[in-house]
Amino acid sequence: MAVLCSYVVIGQTVQCTRRLTDAEDAFDQGRLQDVLDALDKKGDAKDCFAAFTIDERIRAEKLLTKAYLFTDNPAEAEKSLVDLLHIDKEHQLAKDDPAELHHLYSQFKTEPIFRIGFRAGVNKSFVKVLQNFGNTQVAKQYNGAGPNEVGIGVGFNVEALIERHIKNGIEVGTGFQFRSASYEFDASFIPGLENDFFITGKNRSSMLRVPLLVRYNFNYDKKTADGIRLNKMWYVFAGGSFDYVIDAQYVNTARTGGTAFTLNAPKNSLTSAGDNNVSQVARSNGSIFGGGGLKIRFGRSKVDFITFEVRYDNSLFNYIDPENRYANKDLNIDLGFVEDDLTINTVSFSVGYTKSFYKPSKRKEYR
Amino acid sequence: MKKLFYIAAFALLSSCQIEDDNAPKPEESFIKYLGVIADQEAKDIEPVYAADGVTLDGFVIFGTQKQADSLDSDFYIVRTDELGNIVDEVTIDPNNAVEGLDLDGNDQDDILTGNEIAGQIEMLPGGGFVAIGSTSVTDQSKDLTDFRFISLVILDAELNVLREFNAFNENATGTVPLNLEGNDITMLSDGSLLIVGAIETLAGDTDYYYRKLDAGSGAVAFTKTLGLSGADNDDVLVRAFETDEQTIALFGYSERIGNEGQIGTNVGYVEVNQNGNPTGGSGNYGIPDTLDGSNVLRVFNDVLTDVVQKPGGYMAVGTATVDASNFAFFIDIDFDGISRRKGRLLSEFDPTLTTKAFGVSATRTNDFVVVGQYTNFRVGLEQRGEEAMFQRINQVGEKVEGFESNYGLGDGNDNAADVITLADGKIVVATTIDFGGGIRMIGLIKLNDTGELDR
């Protein structure tokens, strides 16, 4: 039975392909009514539209559009064109397509109504100290700059943005980003005795961010001499972000010297473990950012993108809540560590995928 | 478009972080550890003023320090700027050759090595400092055990030692090594220095001791003793103040039980004139004894540790010992020697916590900040060993609720040694913080006028 079914399907496909070829021949010979009869979706051709390959459907819809145009049936031509654009987003007309088709095409919105971009990547923090606090005879050193082995402040980030093209390659976008950023510190109490008495640790924060960006895509509408859109597109962007610290905590934070002391849970939390159960970090913050990247067209229609992006985030406000800097005695006294006023700036590299969404329709001025 | 790009790039590269102008600044409150890896102990803290005598220029802390490879502790003096950063520090071991002391009668000055015990430090009008303490010598080869004499050091503003004095009990001999201790030094209005402490007149009996000397030459104007005679009658002077009438108020503790004194050790007050002679003003003050469960009277030994002048009188604090337990106390004494208020400084965390008072300072609102130690800090599930204690009482001797706090390491033997308040109301405390492993460091904590680490 299975063999029989396969035979039936293959037979139907072959018939439909022949039907489309015959229709194209009829169009070339000016037998437009034969085209419309052969590709009548409500008639014999109904099953064929289900059996066509994608390319065949594109050829069929385009052929129908032209046939309707030349039989003075603009309403059906528009329907066919919309069907075509549903199948082949941003369908690119050939230079030798009839002028009537180009004219009709120009009356329709063929660009995406929005895009959704997903990106994931790694970041490295750069601490900018606004004011030193604590034992400043020996300044704190961040991200591996000190004599003891601490990390370089690596984190990760994922984001989902909804983007919209405005014009001339300019896009705006907004969405959500989750960023885990950390900075690692190395501090000593006593000049000259850094190897005997020191504090090492990591401050790791999880942040929900709401970025708003403007992006400029170079050569957004540029095509090759053959009328084909460029496969790669460089871009730059800049924007601002509202940042909210979901959670922050110290990881592997300890003092060497005397009786060694390690800051353990729950006292290692910066968002809730102060002696008065207050946050030692500013939960709300803001930042500006900018960067650049490369989009590579992806998928059959070449309207989605794989992206590679480098970005610099410049936090605007103090990460530490100055009112609660000393809220955790285990940190300030047992460990002997007092946070500076600082901002966490990051450089990130991410890889992403951008999906385009369409709703083909006639432009307002042509309705 | 290029302009937009350049603007965005400039904004990023210019790194325009914004600091809140209303946020506390580093000099407004801090916790800092000073010194070196050693066994340090803070005793006294004083503000340091600029040449105009008004502008605050930092702090000076007087204490002791014992290096890991050292046999004994030495005086340690550290000067900081307003932010608590070390400006100068010096370690002084003043007791090698004790000028004029000849315990063994060989007509040569004795060379003694011992542990320095810090007393008080005072800023001198020229910008230098004078520090007083005692040296305790234990030397089996000389048959000395905890033999004490006064050590006094004068330093310039950069903590360079200008002069060292040793004063010892002139009745001490090799067979009767009587002690002399220095606890406080005060510069009087005539430019001379007044030393107060305790002198051992007989073995086991100490009396009040005070000596006036010229600050420049060290020439002695007078040396006086006062006290009860008899073994175990310890009379020890702790603080001295010059009054507006140029009399001198001496505070200490003794076994005197007259006046308001109770059975046991009581706080004592004596007023003397510029020649060291009593004017008649005096008093004894004790924390009222209480009954134990079997109606046996409990004897409180009230040992004075610090006194501060206030409008109309003095506020004295100390530690009372009863049944091997301790609690801090205060006594409010007016200029006529009458105690206005007195009481125990129990903890609002848990009134059964044992407390000790080491220092007191008057705030600009005429409250009093009392610092000291919880000897066994256990509140609920939190157990932190000995902790530095901060309490506050108002003008009528009532605890200021919400101020009390504790500082220290989880299992260290920590304490707050002394406290000062600044013209702007800020409170600065010298602490000893025990990091374990034989390392104790001097901690400097600056609080706001409500006792918080905030603006």
Side-chain angles (χ1 to χ4, degrees):
Chain A
M1 180 62 76
V3 173
L4 183 60
C5 287
S6 297
Y7 179 78
V8 170
V9 170
I10 292 168
Q12 186 183 28
T13 302
V14 170
Q15 283 183 351
C16 290
T17 301
R18 183 173 298 162
R19 179 188 286 258
L20 176 59
T21 306
D22 290 346
E24 287 173 332
D25 290 342
F27 183 83
D28 292 341
Q29 294 164 12
R31 295 182 284 114
L32 299 177
Q33 191 56 48
D34 289 347
V35 174
L36 297 178
D37 292 342
L39 298 177
D40 181 6
K41 293 177 187 173
K42 295 174 184 171
D44 297 343
K46 180 179 179 183
D47 293 337
C48 279
F49 273 86
F52 282 151
T53 65
I54 295 293
D55 283 342
E56 287 170 339
R57 282 193 66 191
I58 293 168
R59 284 162 53 200
E61 294 291 1
K62 192 170 181 180
L63 191 60
L64 270 177
T65 305
K66 288 190 286 187
Y68 281 125
L69 275 175
F70 291 127
T71 55
D72 293 329
N73 191 345
E76 289 301 319
E78 289 173 6
K79 283 183 186 175
S80 295
L81 181 58
V82 168
D83 289 343
L84 168 63
L85 291 172
H86 276 301
I87 301 163
D88 187 20
K89 320 292 186 189
E90 297 186 45
H91 177 80
Q92 300 296 296
L93 296 180
K95 282 184 178 176
D96 55 358
D97 278 325
E100 291 84 351
L101 181 57
H102 277 279
H103 179 67
L104 179 66
Y105 186 90
S106 68
Q107 296 177 14
F108 277 78
K109 290 181 183 174
T110 57
E111 63 273 19
I113 53 172
F114 65 88
R115 293 187 171 99
I116 291 182
F118 301 95
R119 289 178 191 80
V122 294
N123 63 66
K124 182 198 177 321
S125 70
F126 294 89
V127 171
K128 179 170 183 180
V129 176
L130 306 177
Q131 282 196 99
N132 282 118
F133 284 82
N135 292 282
T136 52
Q137 290 97 353
V138 180
K140 301 180 193 76
Q141 293 172 291
Y142 294 99
N143 290 342
N148 301 299
E149 290 185 6
V150 298
I152 59 171
V154 175
F156 71 93
N157 43 267
V158 293
E159 72 176 6
L161 295 185
I162 183 166
E163 305 166 0
R164 183 175 171 84
H165 180 246
I166 305 301
K167 68 175 185 177
N168 298 331
I170 297 174
E171 294 175 303
V172 295
T174 187
F176 295 98
Q177 183 191 71
F178 176 83
R179 185 181 78 179
S180 174
S182 65
Y183 61 85
E184 296 171 67
F185 49 84
D186 184 352
S188 173
F189 287 8
I190 305 163
L193 292 173
E194 288 84 354
N195 293 329
D196 300 314
F197 216 103
F198 57 86
I199 308 155
T200 54
K202 176 195 285 190
N203 183 319
R204 186 174 65 198
S205 61
S206 300
M207 204 175 274
L208 182 65
R209 314 179 72 210
V210 183
L212 175 65
L213 65 82
V214 177
R215 180 188 294 130
Y216 177 68
N217 299 280
F218 295 95
N219 301 319
Y220 185 83
D221 295 315
K222 190 173 182 180
K223 296 178 181 177
T224 65
D226 300 331
I228 299 171
R229 292 165 303 185
L230 298 180
N231 196 43
K232 294 177 182 175
M233 194 189 311
W234 294 96
Y235 62 89
V236 293
F237 62 93
S241 171
F242 168 76
D243 307 331
Y244 180 78
V245 176
I246 303 168
D247 180 57
Q249 57 184 255
Y250 290 104
V251 180
N252 299 328
T253 299
R255 184 197 73 230
T256 298
T259 302
F261 176 80
T262 300
L263 195 63
N264 291 319
K267 293 287 189 170
N268 66 334
S269 171
L270 283 105
T271 45
S272 63
D275 293 336
N276 300 314
N277 201 29
V278 295
S279 176
Q280 299 149 62
V281 297
R283 299 297 285 264
S284 299
N285 213 314
S287 56
I288 57 172
F289 58 83
L294 175 66
K295 291 179 178 177
I296 299 175
R297 292 188 181 277
F298 180 77
R300 187 192 53 78
S301 300
K302 299 289 186 185
V303 294
D304 299 331
F305 301 94
I306 298 291
T307 59
F308 300 90
E309 186 172 294
V310 176
R311 168 170 166 164
Y312 179 69
D313 280 272
N314 188 67
S315 183
L316 290 174
F317 304 105
N318 190 3
Y319 168 68
I320 300 299
D321 184 341
E323 305 294 336
N324 298 327
R325 182 190 318 281
Y326 296 102
N328 187 345
K329 289 178 183 171
D330 285 43
L331 174 73
N332 303 141
I333 299 180
D334 290 74
L335 198 66
F337 185 77
V338 180
E339 290 277 7
D340 291 330
D341 276 355
L342 56 87
T343 60
I344 307 174
N345 306 323
T346 61
V347 168
S348 59
F349 173 77
S350 59
V351 177
Y353 172 73
T354 300
K355 172 82 176 165
S356 301
F357 294 86
Y358 296 83
K359 187 180 180 184
S361 60
K362 204 166 186 182
R363 295 186 190 280
K364 197 181 293 179
E365 59 269 33
Y366 295 109
R367 286 177 198 159
Chain B
M1 182 51 62
K2 277 186 178 177
K3 282 183 181 174
L4 183 66
F5 175 76
Y6 290 138
I7 290 170
F10 177 77
L12 287 169
L13 295 174
S14 63
S15 196
C16 55
Q17 282 87 1
I18 299 165
E19 175 73 347
D20 182 1
D21 288 338
N22 295 319
K25 300 290 185 290
E27 69 273 17
E28 289 169 336
S29 55
F30 52 73
I31 297 174
K32 298 206 174 178
Y33 294 116
L34 312 174
V36 298
I37 294 180
D39 183 8
Q40 297 185 321
E41 186 170 9
K43 177 64 177 175
D44 187 27
I45 181 171
E46 294 294 332
V48 177
Y49 294 103
D52 62 9
V54 177
T55 307
L56 185 70
D57 195 30
F59 311 100
V60 63
I61 299 174
F62 183 36
T64 55
Q65 171 178 293
K66 183 176 182 295
Q67 297 275 20
D69 56 354
S70 176
L71 295 174
D72 58 83
S73 63
D74 302 322
F75 287 145
Y76 176 73
I77 302 172
V78 58
R79 183 177 169 180
T80 75
D81 60 18
E82 270 191 279
L83 281 72
N85 297 317
I86 294 175
V87 176
D88 292 301
E89 58 183 328
V90 63
T91 304
I92 305 166
D93 186 6
N95 59 318
N96 286 329
V98 184
E99 188 178 350
L101 181 62
D102 182 16
L103 290 175
D104 50 15
N106 62 358
D107 295 329
Q108 292 184 348
D109 291 345
D110 293 329
I111 296 176
L112 299 174
T113 300
N115 290 308
E116 269 63 58
I117 302 166
Q120 297 288 303
I121 191 166
E122 181 95 356
M123 189 174 179
L124 296 172
F129 304 93
V130 58
I132 189 170
S134 304
T135 297
S136 169
V137 178
T138 296
D139 187 338
Q140 300 303 328
S141 68
K142 294 182 170 60
D143 202 22
L144 297 175
T145 301
D146 194 18
F147 169 63
R148 297 189 181 198
F149 54 88
I150 290 174
S151 293
L152 186 148
V153 185
I154 296 177
L155 311 98
D156 66 14
E158 286 76 42
L159 301 186
N160 298 304
V161 176
L162 301 177
R163 294 190 69 177
E164 295 179 20
F165 296 102
N166 293 306
F168 51 89
N169 192 328
E170 294 176 356
N171 295 318
T173 66
T175 54
V176 189
L178 299 172
N179 296 325
L180 179 62
E181 297 177 33
N183 291 329
D184 193 14
I185 189 162
T186 302
M187 175 154 273
L188 303 176
S189 55
D190 62 3
S192 59
L193 295 170
L194 182 75
I195 295 170
V196 301
I199 186 166
E200 196 172 18
T201 51
L202 296 169
D205 177 31
T206 62
D207 287 347
Y208 289 163
Y209 170 88
Y210 51 107
R211 169 183 277 191
K212 185 176 175 181
L213 66 161
D214 184 86
S217 66
V220 176
F222 65 74
T223 301
K224 301 282 185 179
T225 62
L226 285 171
L228 295 173
S229 63
D232 298 330
N233 280 327
D234 290 334
D235 307 290
V236 178
L237 282 181
V238 175
R239 289 286 179 273
F241 300 92
E242 187 174 35
T243 68
D244 292 341
E245 287 76 33
Q246 273 71 54
T247 60
I248 299 166
L250 304 175
F251 291 91
Y253 57 90
S254 76
E255 270 72 37
R256 291 172 189 266
I257 59 173
N259 190 240
E260 297 178 39
Q262 311 284 325
I263 296 173
T265 303
N266 295 294
V267 173
Y269 157 71
V270 178
E271 186 184 64
V272 300
N273 61 23
Q274 289 287 331
N275 296 319
N277 299 316
T279 62
S282 67
N284 297 302
Y285 319 94
I287 301 302
D289 300 346
T290 59
L291 299 174
D292 67 8
S294 59
N295 285 339
V296 174
L297 203 60
R298 300 196 303 172
V299 175
F300 289 8
N301 290 311
D302 312 320
V303 175
L304 179 76
T305 50
D306 199 13
V307 184
V308 64
Q309 276 183 303
K310 69 184 187 72
Y314 307 91
M315 177 62 76
V317 299
T319 302
T321 303
V322 55
D323 299 338
S325 182
N326 303 301
F327 57 81
F329 68 83
F330 74 93
I331 302 175
D332 182 354
I333 303 167
D334 67 16
F335 284 138
D336 295 325
I338 299 169
S339 74
R340 299 296 183 182
R341 302 162 195 89
K342 56 188 173 184
R344 292 183 286 179
L345 291 169
L346 303 180
S347 172
E348 66 189 55
F349 298 135
D350 180 348
T352 66
L353 285 178
T354 56
T355 57
K356 291 181 177 179
F358 295 154
V360 61
S361 183
T363 72
R364 62 177 174 176
T365 56
N366 292 322
D367 287 350
F368 300 92
V369 178
V370 181
V371 299
Q373 186 183 49
Y374 302 99
T375 55
N376 191 2
F377 191 85
R378 282 171 166 72
V379 176
L381 298 176
E382 190 172 20
Q383 301 187 0
R384 297 187 66 86
E386 294 89 350
E387 288 275 288
M389 177 192 79
F390 293 69
Q391 294 202 36
R392 186 174 183 133
I393 52 177
N394 63 20
Q395 297 176 55
V396 294
E398 296 169 335
K399 285 279 296 290
V400 176
E401 290 189 10
F403 178 92
E404 183 177 351
S405 59
N406 63 297
Y407 289 87
L409 271 63
D411 52 3
N413 182 3
D414 315 305
N415 70 68
D418 196 21
V419 57
I420 55 174
T421 49
L422 307 178
D424 61 1
K426 297 287 175 80
I427 299 164
V428 185
V429 187
T431 64
T432 302
I433 303 296
D434 183 0
F435 285 93
I439 299 173
R440 291 191 299 167
M441 284 189 187
I442 291 174
L444 183 61
I445 302 177
K446 186 175 180 182
L447 308 159
N448 66 13
D449 59 355
T450 60
E452 295 171 335
L453 284 154
D454 202 350
R455 187 175 190 136

